[in-house]
Amino acid sequence: MEERFMQQSPFPKQSPKPPHHRDTTALIFGIVSLLFFRFPILPVGMGIAAVIFARKSKTDSCTNHGIALSGAITGTVGICLGSISTIYWGYCLVSLLILLYHRTEMVPHEPEFPGFHEYNGQPACLRYWLQQIF
């Protein structure tokens, strides 16, 4: 009779934890970081997220470690390519700003030699050059 009362209750004492699927999330972030490697900063952030999720998935019991490893690898490659792309875009932006600065600097604000003003009906540069020659 005691055996009948010792049966397991239909309600579990502890509810099971839902799977987090961090391994799949790591792979998705890694693939996105590879797809958008030409954009500045975005693939670096996605790659870092992929590596973090791959590391956290090692503690999960229901994790496919192959997918987590591939997520970590694609995230690392995405970080490298994204860093190179970010450096390239930064170099292009700085070069453009330097070019624009020098282009506006080339326009003279005041004439360096007399030549833009008229003097007694003659251009001043012609008078200046004639004085240099004779």
Side-chain angles (χ1 to χ4, degrees):
M1 198 121 150
E2 283 184 33
E3 294 177 22
R4 190 172 60 157
F5 294 111
M6 298 292 282
Q7 291 179 355
Q8 189 177 9
S9 70
F11 302 106
K13 294 179 184 177
Q14 197 176 28
S15 61
K17 292 182 181 179
H20 292 289
H21 301 293
R22 290 185 179 132
D23 52 352
T24 310
T25 307
L27 183 61
I28 290 171
F29 276 131
I31 291 173
V32 169
S33 71
L34 285 178
L35 289 176
F36 295 110
F37 78 94
R38 289 189 172 206
F39 291 101
I41 302 172
L42 177 71
V44 176
M46 292 287 189
I48 290 171
V51 171
I52 289 173
F53 275 111
R55 295 268 181 179
K56 285 188 176 183
S57 71
K58 287 184 178 181
T59 60
D60 294 343
S61 61
C62 58
T63 300
N64 188 347
H65 295 291
I67 292 177
L69 179 65
S70 62
I73 290 171
T74 55
T76 304
V77 172
I79 289 171
C80 294
L81 292 176
S83 298
I84 291 170
S85 175
T86 303
I87 290 169
Y88 173 74
W89 278 100
Y91 172 76
C92 289
L93 180 66
V94 169
S95 297
L96 179 68
L97 292 175
I98 289 172
L99 177 72
L100 289 174
Y101 176 75
H102 286 301
R103 182 169 249 178
T104 58
E105 193 177 78
M106 289 173 50
V107 177
H109 300 288
E110 295 182 13
E112 296 176 6
F113 60 91
F116 295 104
H117 307 291
E118 298 239 347
Y119 181 75
N120 289 337
Q122 294 178 340
C125 64
L126 180 63
R127 182 170 177 260
Y128 177 76
W129 289 333
L130 288 174
Q131 285 177 353
Q132 295 296 324
I133 294 172
F134 298 111

